[in-house]
Amino acid sequence: MSQEIKGGPLTRLIMNDKAGRKLLLVLLLVSVLVPLSNLLVPEGSLFHVSTFTMTLLGKYLCYALLAVAVDLIWGYCGILSLGHGAFFALGGYAMGMYLMRQIGDRGVYANPELPDFMVFLNWTELPWYWQGFDQFWFAMIMVLAAPGLLAFVFGVLAFRSRVTGVYLSIITQALTYALLLAFFRNDMGFGGNNGLTDFKDILGFDLQADTTRAALFFASGIALIGGYLISRFIVTSKLGRVLVAIRDSESRARFLGYRVEWYKLFVFVVSSMLAGVAGALYVPQVGIINPGEFAPINSIEIIIWVAVGGRGTLYGAVIGAVLVNYAKTYFTGAFAELWLFMLGGLFVLTTLYLPKGVVGLWAQIQEKRRSSSGGPGGGQSATAEGKV
Amino acid sequence: MSIATPKHIDHPTVLYMNGVSVSFDGFKALNSLSLFIEPGEMRAIIGPNGAGKTTMMDVITGKTRPDSGTILFNDKEDLTRYDEAQVANMGVGRKFQKPSVIESLTVFENIEMSLKGGRSVWQALVHKLTPARQEKIDEILDLIDLKDRQHEEAGSLSHGQKQWLEIGMLLGQEPELLLIDEPAAGMTDEETMKTAELFKRLAKKHSLMVVEHDMDFIEALDCKVTVLHEGRVLAEGSLETVKANQEVIEVYLGR
């Protein structure tokens, strides 16, 4: 890692990250080619990607961004958040509120001002916290600000009182559970049980149109690439090395004069915002956001994605998120009732036999091949990145 | 920053501890401990297990708050009011008993992180390795004899080398006062003597407080010795004087 210090920003971000570079190239190709093949290649052709598949892949990209957010705090700073689904959901709700306001008078009750569920509840005017969400720019600010603010307040309280380890994990879990219960309530004004749905369009474009879907897919790909590079910028800076110091030996970092709580707070807030962006891109693609997104199990699943992919590498998180979600899509179709057992089993197996995840396994295989073929200097470099 | 209680001695001190007491669940870890270290002084601290050596370091470095007593740094800063990071940034460096280096970072990165300044989140994010910093790192790497291993992970070093790396990290902080807990533990005889030499050189520019069990090492340091027992100072003076002290003999041999 030390060569990274010497290079310029580009070297630092991309050139020294061989696996990440490949991943970014693939992501870029996918982000461009999938929408093009959906829009330009005629249906029935082997190279046509259906809108259904594109939307599914778009979901994976959002999950991958969420996984990167979690890897940033867990893999590099040792903060095991079991509540990151909450930040994803908050970003999703912020986007959902904008999409609700876009419906205008096309709702069932044709009220130009109020979303249907408010009319149904006999509300006469828009609550104050819904003001401004008819503006896209305002909603986008809230996509970052709502998760960011919650993470900030939570982080100040937790990190300043030096809550760490299992205790921190438990209170993050409690946080998302509390939000789940709150958002279920009708009088919270977020659509209660049903959440927000029946969206019509975004920025004036029909959400059902293939072109809009393609644009959203492209945006998700770009957001993932951007999120990856932001995270990479952080972890390759000296700040990133301080985070690793905190992860490995928190008291050492303190006695070196680093205010551990501010470092944790910074990275936690950045991570929550990345999760918020992921949620905001997810909602228009799946067409609904409801309190179920706050369910504790969702947050635990994210941890499994990252663990399976390989923690502390960033690209491992992307790979893990895509792999596990692909498996989920497949197996919930084939053997729905077994999926949760398989997910649990996957986590146990990963923890026991693949502590560095799939990318660690890959590095191991490479190393073995190199050493068996007698190649010079095998090994050392391959493990350096995946070290946890 | 105000002085809690006026000092009762008049010469300058880098560390002034007067009547410091700490108790945990009724157990008095420090019992009205008083200790003064002069600028540029090297002091060895010995004492049986449970004498309060680690607790003393904890109260100086802001990890533990004393129940009562005064701790002044450079005759002005009241150390009992600050946390670990603040005390470290004032110029008090601490080396732990168990070598605590950041194992998954390289030797170079460990030293780089220790260099004085740039402690805020923002400074860390935009940090650049300037020629001046590079030079400083090289200087320390030479001093601790780890230059040819600078790009290896600190976790791959031997125990003694980790001790040296941690000492190097202390030097990177450019502290005025170094608190060093059992530096010779796990070192070979040769390494131990080299460490003693290093400390004697450092004592000219810094003040050092060294907690140690190894009597050969203390002899090699050739400095004033303080004996702690049951949270207070039992004897103080040259190694010969304290060795001849009846109470000290009883504490070490009497049970």
Side-chain angles (χ1 to χ4, degrees):
Chain A
M1 273 168 102
S2 57
Q3 301 95 294
E4 286 160 20
I5 307 162
K6 285 168 195 130
L10 194 72
T11 319
R12 209 178 101 186
L13 284 186
I14 302 170
M15 299 319 280
N16 281 322
D17 181 20
K18 206 171 143 205
R21 204 161 64 219
K22 282 182 199 155
L23 179 83
L24 288 179
L25 189 69
V26 170
L27 284 178
L28 201 62
L29 284 176
V30 166
S31 308
V32 174
L33 292 182
V34 168
L36 286 183
S37 73
N38 173 259
L39 296 175
L40 301 180
V41 178
E43 244 171 278
S45 158
L46 189 62
F47 298 102
H48 176 80
V49 175
S50 71
T51 307
F52 174 79
T53 308
M54 183 169 68
T55 303
L56 191 67
L57 292 175
K59 252 174 71 175
Y60 293 173
L61 293 178
C62 297
Y63 286 148
L65 178 57
L66 179 57
V68 168
V70 168
D71 195 26
L72 181 62
I73 54 166
W74 184 39
Y76 289 88
C77 195
I79 303 170
L80 177 56
S81 166
L82 293 181
H84 245 54
F87 303 122
F88 179 83
L90 283 177
Y93 265 97
M95 176 60 103
M97 287 161 80
Y98 163 74
L99 296 173
M100 286 307 270
R101 297 297 308 273
Q102 285 277 292
I103 298 171
D105 59 7
R106 287 170 291 174
V108 178
Y109 297 108
N111 187 315
E113 190 70 11
L114 297 184
D116 278 348
F117 74 87
M118 291 188 193
V119 181
F120 185 75
L121 290 172
N122 290 322
W123 289 13
T124 52
E125 57 182 73
L126 207 60
W128 61 268
Y129 48 83
W130 274 76
Q131 302 294 338
F133 276 96
D134 50 335
Q135 301 293 324
F136 185 72
W137 63 267
F138 180 82
M140 289 310 100
I141 290 174
M142 293 315 281
V143 162
L144 296 172
L149 195 68
L150 178 68
F152 182 82
V153 172
F154 178 87
V156 165
L157 295 174
F159 301 139
R160 287 200 61 188
S161 7
R162 302 194 181 180
V163 181
T164 54
V166 181
Y167 300 98
L168 186 89
S169 302
I170 291 170
I171 56 173
T172 53
Q173 182 99 106
L175 173 80
T176 196
Y177 191 62
L179 285 166
L180 168 78
L181 297 180
F183 275 73
F184 259 124
R185 294 159 51 97
N186 280 326
D187 52 8
M188 273 285 280
F190 293 107
N193 194 6
N194 300 316
L196 310 175
T197 187
D198 291 331
F199 308 134
K200 300 279 189 274
D201 44 36
I202 180 167
L203 288 168
F205 296 102
D206 181 6
L207 269 175
Q208 302 310 318
D210 286 352
T211 44
T212 315
R213 291 293 176 113
L216 282 169
F217 179 88
F218 181 70
S220 306
I222 296 305
L224 174 56
I225 291 172
Y228 183 88
L229 289 175
I230 289 171
S231 304
R232 179 97 189 129
F233 179 77
I234 292 173
V235 303
T236 55
S237 69
K238 181 180 149 195
L239 195 156
R241 295 190 285 281
V242 176
L243 296 180
V244 170
I246 293 170
R247 180 192 75 192
D248 288 359
S249 174
E250 188 168 325
S251 63
R252 179 74 271 176
R254 280 187 207 282
F255 284 110
L256 277 174
Y258 291 98
R259 304 300 299 269
V260 166
E261 52 276 30
W262 299 126
Y263 281 82
K264 284 185 174 174
L265 187 62
F266 170 79
V267 76
F268 194 64
V269 169
V270 170
S271 168
S272 76
M273 287 176 168
L274 291 177
V277 170
L281 285 161
Y282 175 83
V283 166
Q285 297 188 71
V286 298
I288 184 169
I289 174 79
N290 62 32
E293 292 297 333
F294 286 106
I297 177 86
N298 285 19
S299 297
I300 293 171
E301 267 189 51
I302 310 166
I303 297 299
I304 300 180
W305 306 341
V306 177
V308 167
R311 133 186 207 226
T313 58
L314 295 178
Y315 56 83
V318 174
I319 293 168
V322 173
L323 277 182
V324 177
N325 279 295
Y326 178 74
K328 181 177 184 175
T329 307
Y330 178 76
F331 287 112
T332 45
F335 331 88
E337 64 284 359
L338 286 178
W339 169 245
L340 278 181
F341 292 101
M342 296 172 76
L343 189 69
L346 191 64
F347 191 47
V348 173
L349 288 177
T350 307
T351 316
L352 287 179
Y353 299 109
L354 291 177
K356 287 174 189 169
V358 175
V359 300
L361 181 71
W362 178 248
Q364 241 172 358
I365 293 171
Q366 296 280 57
E367 204 176 314
K368 221 170 239 167
R369 197 182 297 164
R370 223 171 303 162
S371 58
S372 65
S373 69
Q380 200 126 42
S381 63
T383 47
E385 269 297 308
K387 179 92 185 174
V388 172
Chain B
M1 304 265 181
S2 69
I3 295 173
T5 343
K7 279 177 59 176
H8 73 278
I9 49 175
D10 50 7
H11 56 84
T13 52
V14 69
L15 181 70
Y16 172 95
M17 298 179 79
N18 192 26
V20 178
S21 295
V22 180
S23 54
F24 302 113
D25 300 324
F27 169 71
K28 283 223 158 191
L30 293 184
N31 188 1
S32 194
L33 175 75
S34 298
L35 193 114
F36 319 105
I37 301 204
E38 288 167 30
E41 185 187 346
M42 171 144 62
R43 176 73 61 88
I45 310 280
I46 59 173
N49 284 332
K53 297 174 302 235
T54 302
T55 309
M56 178 180 71
M57 296 223 174
D58 285 348
V59 295
I60 297 169
T61 53
K63 195 181 178 211
T64 305
R65 296 255 171 271
D67 302 330
S68 60
T70 314
I71 307 175
L72 295 180
F73 178 58
N74 274 337
D75 296 335
K76 51 180 195 288
E77 316 280 9
D78 178 359
L79 290 184
T80 59
R81 294 157 167 251
Y82 301 100
D83 68 16
E84 300 99 313
Q86 288 166 320
V87 171
N89 289 328
M90 277 178 204
V92 180
R94 177 173 184 180
K95 196 205 144 312
F96 291 86
Q97 192 172 336
K98 188 175 135 243
S100 68
V101 295
I102 313 304
E103 306 228 330
S104 49
L105 295 180
T106 65
V107 170
F108 182 93
E109 288 168 336
N110 268 280
I111 301 284
E112 187 196 27
M113 188 175 342
S114 75
L115 290 193
K116 192 178 178 178
R119 266 20 180 194
S120 78
V121 173
W122 176 249
Q123 286 169 322
L125 191 62
V126 300
H127 165 91
K128 282 211 172 65
L129 185 66
T130 58
R133 286 195 181 115
Q134 175 76 53
E135 205 173 299
K136 179 86 194 161
I137 296 171
D138 285 340
E139 197 182 295
I140 293 173
L141 286 170
D142 275 332
L143 196 67
I144 59 172
D145 234 354
L146 286 173
K147 190 151 211 174
D148 49 341
R149 304 197 63 177
Q150 57 175 312
H151 295 305
E152 288 175 39
E153 278 180 20
S156 70
L157 299 178
S158 74
H159 188 83
Q161 284 171 323
K162 283 183 193 167
Q163 298 274 39
W164 275 64
L165 175 56
E166 202 181 351
I167 292 167
M169 290 166 76
L170 269 190
L171 297 178
Q173 285 176 261
E174 297 176 31
E176 280 179 66
L177 173 65
L178 284 87
L179 307 178
I180 303 171
D181 204 350
E182 297 195 29
M187 282 190 180
T188 61
D189 286 349
E190 192 197 347
E191 284 172 329
T192 306
M193 287 307 128
K194 255 168 82 182
T195 308
E197 283 309 309
L198 174 65
F199 286 179
K200 277 158 90 173
R201 254 188 293 160
L202 292 177
K204 286 166 193 146
K205 275 201 284 180
H206 313 258
S207 307
L208 279 84
M209 184 163 144
V210 184
V211 169
E212 191 47 81
H213 282 302
D214 185 334
M215 284 299 163
D216 293 337
F217 183 71
I218 296 210
E219 213 171 322
L221 288 181
D222 187 25
C223 66
K224 192 168 168 185
V225 176
T226 297
V227 185
L228 289 192
H229 179 56
E230 290 176 349
R232 60 191 177 78
V233 175
L234 188 67
E236 213 164 63
S238 71
L239 188 57
E240 284 71 45
T241 345
V242 299
K243 265 183 172 172
N245 184 307
Q246 201 53 45
E247 274 187 291
V248 175
I249 296 171
E250 270 170 36
V251 164
Y252 267 97
L253 306 171
R255 334 177 234 185

